[in-house]
Amino acid sequence: MTIFMDVNMYLVFVCCSLVSVSGLRCYQCLSSSSLADCSKTSTKLTCPQVANSCAKISTEVTSDYFSIKSYSYSCATKKMCDDATEELKMCEQMKQAGYKAECNIDCCQGDLCSTLVSLSVTSVPSFLLLPVCVILTLLTLSR
């Protein structure tokens, strides 16, 4: 369990502790609620020179006695992404041990390449609402 928190904290620590910056920009945030919540508070960060990737990490491990949730966007190196992917195999072991576990890491290269997650309402094309409006208007007028 702590390895998931360690991975997230490691990524944030590395990004904050290095002074030299590269041209890569990534979103940065950390939340214990959801990726959507994290997205709402995200900032655009110019990455340290060693970072060549952006990462989106989500970890959820729950049992009858505890719940650990961690969501983050940050700068990363390819090695950090590769190592984190290996570490996240522990998620499968957690599932086999009877815990409910969902762990994901998505790394990408390019400015602001991590797609922010947002809560959205599915939009209905306005032409589909026209018949509903006409029917409601006719019902109202007929009273």
Short mmCIF file of all heavy atoms in Angstrom, two decimals, residues 1 3-5 7-8 35 56-62 68-71 84-95 99-106:
data_model
loop_
_atom_site.label_atom_id
_atom_site.label_comp_id
_atom_site.label_asym_id
_atom_site.label_seq_id
_atom_site.Cartn_x
_atom_site.Cartn_y
_atom_site.Cartn_z
N MET A 1 0.82 -1.18 0.00
CA MET A 1 0.00 0.00 0.00
C MET A 1 0.87 1.25 0.00
O MET A 1 0.61 2.16 -0.75
CB MET A 1 -0.89 0.02 1.22
CG MET A 1 -1.99 -1.00 1.17
SD MET A 1 -2.91 -0.97 2.68
CE MET A 1 -1.70 -1.61 3.81
N ILE A 3 3.73 1.68 -1.09
CA ILE A 3 4.52 1.84 -2.31
C ILE A 3 3.79 2.74 -3.30
O ILE A 3 4.41 3.52 -4.00
CB ILE A 3 4.88 0.48 -2.94
CG1 ILE A 3 6.01 0.66 -3.93
CG2 ILE A 3 3.72 -0.14 -3.65
CD1 ILE A 3 7.05 -0.38 -3.81
N PHE A 4 2.44 2.70 -3.32
CA PHE A 4 1.69 3.56 -4.22
C PHE A 4 1.84 5.01 -3.82
O PHE A 4 2.03 5.88 -4.66
CB PHE A 4 0.20 3.17 -4.23
CG PHE A 4 -0.02 1.74 -4.61
CD1 PHE A 4 -0.63 0.86 -3.75
CD2 PHE A 4 0.40 1.27 -5.84
CE1 PHE A 4 -0.84 -0.45 -4.10
CE2 PHE A 4 0.20 -0.05 -6.20
CZ PHE A 4 -0.41 -0.91 -5.33
N MET A 5 1.76 5.27 -2.54
CA MET A 5 1.94 6.63 -2.05
C MET A 5 3.37 7.08 -2.31
O MET A 5 3.61 8.22 -2.66
CB MET A 5 1.60 6.72 -0.56
CG MET A 5 0.16 6.37 -0.24
SD MET A 5 -1.04 7.43 -1.01
CE MET A 5 -0.90 8.84 0.07
N VAL A 7 5.34 6.21 -4.76
CA VAL A 7 5.52 6.54 -6.18
C VAL A 7 5.00 7.94 -6.44
O VAL A 7 5.67 8.76 -7.05
CB VAL A 7 4.80 5.50 -7.08
CG1 VAL A 7 4.75 5.98 -8.51
CG2 VAL A 7 5.49 4.16 -7.00
N ASN A 8 3.79 8.26 -5.97
CA ASN A 8 3.22 9.59 -6.18
C ASN A 8 4.07 10.66 -5.52
O ASN A 8 4.35 11.69 -6.12
CB ASN A 8 1.79 9.67 -5.65
CG ASN A 8 0.81 8.98 -6.56
OD1 ASN A 8 1.08 8.79 -7.74
ND2 ASN A 8 -0.32 8.59 -6.02
N LEU A 35 -9.49 12.20 -9.86
CA LEU A 35 -8.73 12.87 -10.92
C LEU A 35 -9.44 14.15 -11.35
O LEU A 35 -8.79 15.14 -11.68
CB LEU A 35 -8.54 11.94 -12.12
CG LEU A 35 -7.38 10.96 -12.02
CD1 LEU A 35 -7.39 9.98 -13.19
CD2 LEU A 35 -6.04 11.67 -11.96
N LYS A 56 0.13 10.84 -15.38
CA LYS A 56 -1.16 10.89 -14.69
C LYS A 56 -1.25 9.59 -13.92
O LYS A 56 -1.21 8.51 -14.51
CB LYS A 56 -2.29 11.02 -15.71
CG LYS A 56 -3.67 10.95 -15.10
CD LYS A 56 -4.79 11.25 -16.10
CE LYS A 56 -4.80 10.30 -17.25
NZ LYS A 56 -5.96 10.50 -18.15
N ILE A 57 -1.35 9.67 -12.59
CA ILE A 57 -1.34 8.48 -11.74
C ILE A 57 -2.58 8.46 -10.86
O ILE A 57 -2.93 9.47 -10.24
CB ILE A 57 -0.08 8.46 -10.85
CG1 ILE A 57 1.17 8.48 -11.70
CG2 ILE A 57 -0.10 7.25 -9.92
CD1 ILE A 57 2.45 8.67 -10.91
N SER A 58 -3.25 7.31 -10.84
CA SER A 58 -4.37 7.16 -9.92
C SER A 58 -4.23 5.83 -9.18
O SER A 58 -3.88 4.81 -9.78
CB SER A 58 -5.71 7.21 -10.66
OG SER A 58 -5.82 6.15 -11.57
N THR A 59 -4.47 5.88 -7.89
CA THR A 59 -4.34 4.70 -7.04
C THR A 59 -5.53 4.66 -6.08
O THR A 59 -5.79 5.65 -5.39
CB THR A 59 -3.03 4.75 -6.22
OG1 THR A 59 -1.94 4.93 -7.11
CG2 THR A 59 -2.84 3.49 -5.42
N GLU A 60 -6.23 3.54 -6.05
CA GLU A 60 -7.33 3.34 -5.11
C GLU A 60 -7.21 1.94 -4.52
O GLU A 60 -7.26 0.96 -5.25
CB GLU A 60 -8.68 3.47 -5.81
CG GLU A 60 -8.94 4.82 -6.42
CD GLU A 60 -10.27 4.88 -7.16
OE1 GLU A 60 -11.04 3.90 -7.13
OE2 GLU A 60 -10.52 5.92 -7.79
N VAL A 61 -7.02 1.86 -3.22
CA VAL A 61 -6.95 0.57 -2.53
C VAL A 61 -7.90 0.66 -1.33
O VAL A 61 -7.78 1.56 -0.51
CB VAL A 61 -5.52 0.25 -2.05
CG1 VAL A 61 -5.49 -1.09 -1.32
CG2 VAL A 61 -4.53 0.25 -3.21
N THR A 62 -8.85 -0.27 -1.26
CA THR A 62 -9.81 -0.25 -0.16
C THR A 62 -10.01 -1.65 0.41
O THR A 62 -9.82 -2.65 -0.27
CB THR A 62 -11.19 0.30 -0.62
OG1 THR A 62 -11.67 -0.50 -1.70
CG2 THR A 62 -11.10 1.74 -1.06
N ILE A 68 -7.40 4.02 0.71
CA ILE A 68 -6.31 4.89 0.29
C ILE A 68 -6.59 5.31 -1.15
O ILE A 68 -6.76 4.45 -2.02
CB ILE A 68 -4.95 4.18 0.36
CG1 ILE A 68 -4.64 3.77 1.79
CG2 ILE A 68 -3.84 5.08 -0.21
CD1 ILE A 68 -3.40 2.90 1.92
N LYS A 69 -6.68 6.60 -1.36
CA LYS A 69 -6.91 7.12 -2.71
C LYS A 69 -5.91 8.24 -2.97
O LYS A 69 -5.73 9.13 -2.14
CB LYS A 69 -8.33 7.64 -2.85
CG LYS A 69 -9.37 6.56 -2.71
CD LYS A 69 -10.76 7.11 -2.89
CE LYS A 69 -11.79 5.99 -2.74
NZ LYS A 69 -13.14 6.46 -2.98
N SER A 70 -5.28 8.18 -4.12
CA SER A 70 -4.30 9.19 -4.49
C SER A 70 -4.37 9.41 -6.00
O SER A 70 -4.38 8.45 -6.77
CB SER A 70 -2.90 8.73 -4.09
OG SER A 70 -1.94 9.67 -4.52
N TYR A 71 -4.44 10.67 -6.38
CA TYR A 71 -4.53 11.04 -7.79
C TYR A 71 -3.56 12.18 -8.04
O TYR A 71 -3.50 13.14 -7.26
CB TYR A 71 -5.95 11.50 -8.13
CG TYR A 71 -7.00 10.52 -7.68
CD1 TYR A 71 -7.59 10.62 -6.42
CD2 TYR A 71 -7.38 9.47 -8.50
CE1 TYR A 71 -8.54 9.71 -6.00
CE2 TYR A 71 -8.33 8.56 -8.09
CZ TYR A 71 -8.91 8.68 -6.83
OH TYR A 71 -9.85 7.77 -6.42
N ALA A 84 7.52 2.96 -12.17
CA ALA A 84 6.20 3.04 -11.55
C ALA A 84 5.28 1.97 -12.13
O ALA A 84 4.50 1.35 -11.40
CB ALA A 84 5.60 4.43 -11.76
N THR A 85 5.39 1.72 -13.42
CA THR A 85 4.57 0.69 -14.04
C THR A 85 4.88 -0.66 -13.41
O THR A 85 3.98 -1.45 -13.13
CB THR A 85 4.82 0.65 -15.57
OG1 THR A 85 4.50 1.94 -16.11
CG2 THR A 85 3.96 -0.39 -16.23
N GLU A 86 6.15 -0.93 -13.15
CA GLU A 86 6.54 -2.18 -12.48
C GLU A 86 5.98 -2.22 -11.06
O GLU A 86 5.47 -3.24 -10.61
CB GLU A 86 8.07 -2.33 -12.45
CG GLU A 86 8.67 -2.69 -13.78
CD GLU A 86 8.18 -4.03 -14.30
OE1 GLU A 86 8.16 -5.01 -13.53
OE2 GLU A 86 7.80 -4.09 -15.48
N GLU A 87 6.10 -1.10 -10.35
CA GLU A 87 5.61 -1.04 -8.97
C GLU A 87 4.10 -1.25 -8.91
O GLU A 87 3.59 -1.85 -7.98
CB GLU A 87 5.97 0.31 -8.33
CG GLU A 87 7.46 0.59 -8.24
CD GLU A 87 8.18 -0.31 -7.26
OE1 GLU A 87 7.51 -0.90 -6.38
OE2 GLU A 87 9.40 -0.42 -7.37
N LEU A 88 3.39 -0.76 -9.93
CA LEU A 88 1.94 -0.86 -9.92
C LEU A 88 1.45 -2.29 -10.15
O LEU A 88 0.27 -2.58 -10.01
CB LEU A 88 1.32 0.11 -10.92
CG LEU A 88 1.51 1.58 -10.57
CD1 LEU A 88 0.90 2.48 -11.62
CD2 LEU A 88 0.94 1.91 -9.19
N LYS A 89 2.36 -3.20 -10.48
CA LYS A 89 1.99 -4.61 -10.57
C LYS A 89 1.58 -5.12 -9.19
O LYS A 89 0.89 -6.12 -9.06
CB LYS A 89 3.14 -5.44 -11.13
CG LYS A 89 3.34 -5.22 -12.62
CD LYS A 89 4.45 -6.07 -13.16
CE LYS A 89 4.64 -5.81 -14.65
NZ LYS A 89 5.75 -6.59 -15.19
N MET A 90 2.00 -4.40 -8.16
CA MET A 90 1.61 -4.75 -6.79
C MET A 90 0.09 -4.66 -6.65
O MET A 90 -0.49 -5.32 -5.79
CB MET A 90 2.27 -3.81 -5.78
CG MET A 90 3.77 -3.86 -5.75
SD MET A 90 4.49 -4.86 -4.45
CE MET A 90 3.62 -4.40 -3.00
N CYS A 91 -0.53 -3.85 -7.47
CA CYS A 91 -1.99 -3.73 -7.44
C CYS A 91 -2.64 -5.09 -7.66
O CYS A 91 -3.62 -5.43 -6.99
CB CYS A 91 -2.42 -2.75 -8.52
SG CYS A 91 -3.75 -1.66 -8.04
N GLU A 92 -2.12 -5.84 -8.59
CA GLU A 92 -2.65 -7.18 -8.85
C GLU A 92 -2.49 -8.09 -7.63
O GLU A 92 -3.38 -8.87 -7.30
CB GLU A 92 -1.98 -7.80 -10.07
CG GLU A 92 -2.43 -7.20 -11.39
CD GLU A 92 -3.94 -7.28 -11.59
OE1 GLU A 92 -4.54 -8.35 -11.33
OE2 GLU A 92 -4.52 -6.25 -11.99
N GLN A 93 -1.36 -7.96 -6.97
CA GLN A 93 -1.13 -8.75 -5.76
C GLN A 93 -2.11 -8.35 -4.66
O GLN A 93 -2.58 -9.19 -3.91
CB GLN A 93 0.31 -8.58 -5.28
CG GLN A 93 1.32 -9.17 -6.24
CD GLN A 93 2.75 -8.86 -5.84
OE1 GLN A 93 3.01 -8.05 -4.96
NE2 GLN A 93 3.69 -9.51 -6.52
N MET A 94 -2.43 -7.04 -4.60
CA MET A 94 -3.40 -6.56 -3.61
C MET A 94 -4.78 -7.17 -3.90
O MET A 94 -5.48 -7.59 -2.99
CB MET A 94 -3.49 -5.04 -3.63
CG MET A 94 -2.20 -4.33 -3.29
SD MET A 94 -1.74 -4.51 -1.58
CE MET A 94 -2.82 -3.36 -0.81
N LYS A 95 -5.14 -7.24 -5.17
CA LYS A 95 -6.43 -7.83 -5.56
C LYS A 95 -6.47 -9.31 -5.17
O LYS A 95 -7.47 -9.79 -4.65
CB LYS A 95 -6.65 -7.68 -7.07
CG LYS A 95 -6.98 -6.29 -7.50
CD LYS A 95 -7.18 -6.25 -9.01
CE LYS A 95 -7.41 -4.85 -9.51
NZ LYS A 95 -7.56 -4.78 -10.96
N TYR A 99 -8.11 -7.35 -1.50
CA TYR A 99 -8.39 -5.92 -1.46
C TYR A 99 -9.01 -5.48 -2.77
O TYR A 99 -8.79 -6.10 -3.82
CB TYR A 99 -7.11 -5.11 -1.24
CG TYR A 99 -6.45 -5.38 0.08
CD1 TYR A 99 -5.37 -6.26 0.15
CD2 TYR A 99 -6.89 -4.76 1.23
CE1 TYR A 99 -4.76 -6.51 1.37
CE2 TYR A 99 -6.28 -5.01 2.45
CZ TYR A 99 -5.21 -5.88 2.51
OH TYR A 99 -4.61 -6.14 3.70
N LYS A 100 -9.77 -4.41 -2.72
CA LYS A 100 -10.26 -3.80 -3.95
C LYS A 100 -9.18 -2.79 -4.35
O LYS A 100 -8.90 -1.85 -3.60
CB LYS A 100 -11.59 -3.09 -3.73
CG LYS A 100 -12.13 -2.47 -4.99
CD LYS A 100 -13.46 -1.78 -4.75
CE LYS A 100 -13.89 -1.11 -6.05
NZ LYS A 100 -14.92 -0.13 -5.82
N ALA A 101 -8.57 -2.99 -5.51
CA ALA A 101 -7.46 -2.13 -5.91
C ALA A 101 -7.56 -1.77 -7.39
O ALA A 101 -7.78 -2.63 -8.23
CB ALA A 101 -6.13 -2.83 -5.64
N GLU A 102 -7.41 -0.49 -7.68
CA GLU A 102 -7.34 0.02 -9.04
C GLU A 102 -6.17 0.98 -9.10
O GLU A 102 -6.12 1.95 -8.36
CB GLU A 102 -8.62 0.76 -9.43
CG GLU A 102 -9.83 -0.13 -9.60
CD GLU A 102 -9.69 -1.11 -10.75
OE1 GLU A 102 -9.07 -0.75 -11.78
OE2 GLU A 102 -10.17 -2.24 -10.62
N CYS A 103 -5.23 0.71 -9.98
CA CYS A 103 -4.04 1.54 -10.10
C CYS A 103 -3.75 1.77 -11.57
O CYS A 103 -3.77 0.82 -12.36
CB CYS A 103 -2.84 0.86 -9.45
SG CYS A 103 -3.15 0.28 -7.77
N ASN A 104 -3.48 3.01 -11.92
CA ASN A 104 -3.17 3.34 -13.31
C ASN A 104 -2.08 4.40 -13.37
O ASN A 104 -2.06 5.31 -12.54
CB ASN A 104 -4.41 3.88 -14.04
CG ASN A 104 -5.48 2.84 -14.17
OD1 ASN A 104 -5.27 1.82 -14.82
ND2 ASN A 104 -6.62 3.08 -13.57
N ILE A 105 -1.22 4.27 -14.34
CA ILE A 105 -0.25 5.31 -14.65
C ILE A 105 -0.22 5.48 -16.16
O ILE A 105 -0.13 4.50 -16.89
CB ILE A 105 1.15 5.02 -14.08
CG1 ILE A 105 2.10 6.16 -14.45
CG2 ILE A 105 1.68 3.69 -14.56
CD1 ILE A 105 3.41 6.15 -13.70
N ASP A 106 -0.38 6.70 -16.58
CA ASP A 106 -0.31 7.03 -18.00
C ASP A 106 0.77 8.08 -18.16
O ASP A 106 0.69 9.16 -17.57
CB ASP A 106 -1.65 7.59 -18.50
CG ASP A 106 -2.76 6.56 -18.45
OD1 ASP A 106 -2.51 5.42 -18.89
OD2 ASP A 106 -3.86 6.89 -17.98
#
